[in-house]
Amino acid sequence: QVQPVESGGGSVQAGGSLRLSCDASGLTYSGSCMGWFRQAPGKEREEVAGFKSDGGTTYANSVKGRFTISQDNTEDTVYLQMNNLKPVDTGMYYCAAARRVLGSCLPYTIFGQGTQVTVSS
């Protein structure tokens, strides 16, 4: 099974920026729906950004206006631009893929290994 590969995580101070990249070779080409999840220590994994079935984007309320998801189909790469980072954004970030059936995105079932983001105050 093809798995996405994340990169770009790191440690930044509050207010800083990071751009995460996801090598989604074989996934974007097949029309999969892509998204980003994160998991903070002691918390459940949550979706922070994703593409909807109609190609639009969706964001968790906590990151709206600060995070931007984008996709470069020519490079099979999905990005997550994160600005004005806060300590609560700390966690492991995962790129995810969902199958598309009859134009609709199914639940995410394919996750990468993750990349760590740490934001200090």
Side-chain angles (χ1 to χ4, degrees), residues 22 26 44 60 65 81 86 88 90-93 100 109 114-115 120:
C22 171
E44 293 187 356
Q81 177 67 43
K86 305 176 181 180
V88 295
T90 294
M92 187 70 78
Y93 282 70
R100 188 190 301 268
T109 57
T115 184
S120 57

Side-chain angles (χ1 to χ4, degrees), residues 33 37 47 53 96-101 104-111:
C33 303
F37 284 68
E47 181 179 358
S53 300
R99 288 182 58 208
R100 188 190 301 268
V101 177
S104 296
C105 298
L106 299 183
Y108 291 99
T109 57
I110 303 172
F111 293 85

Side-chain angles (χ1 to χ4, degrees), residues 20-53:
L20 305 184
S21 298
C22 171
D23 181 351
S25 299
L27 290 168
T28 57
Y29 179 79
S30 64
S32 297
C33 303
M34 304 299 298
W36 286 93
F37 284 68
R38 72 182 177 192
Q39 186 167 20
K43 294 189 177 181
E44 293 187 356
R45 187 162 56 188
E46 63 171 344
E47 181 179 358
V48 294
F51 288 101
K52 298 187 292 184
S53 300

Side-chain angles (χ1 to χ4, degrees), residues 1-82:
Q1 175 172 285
V2 177
Q3 217 176 9
V5 179
E6 305 92 340
S7 62
S11 297
V12 296
Q13 290 191 325
S17 298
L18 283 174
R19 188 175 81 156
L20 305 184
S21 298
C22 171
D23 181 351
S25 299
L27 290 168
T28 57
Y29 179 79
S30 64
S32 297
C33 303
M34 304 299 298
W36 286 93
F37 284 68
R38 72 182 177 192
Q39 186 167 20
K43 294 189 177 181
E44 293 187 356
R45 187 162 56 188
E46 63 171 344
E47 181 179 358
V48 294
F51 288 101
K52 298 187 292 184
S53 300
D54 62 2
T57 54
T58 181
Y59 297 94
N61 287 333
S62 58
V63 307
K64 280 181 181 177
R66 300 188 298 121
F67 289 15
T68 303
I69 187 172
S70 61
Q71 183 167 308
D72 185 337
N73 289 331
T74 62
E75 296 183 351
D76 284 339
T77 304
V78 182
Y79 301 98
L80 184 67
Q81 177 67 43
M82 306 185 295

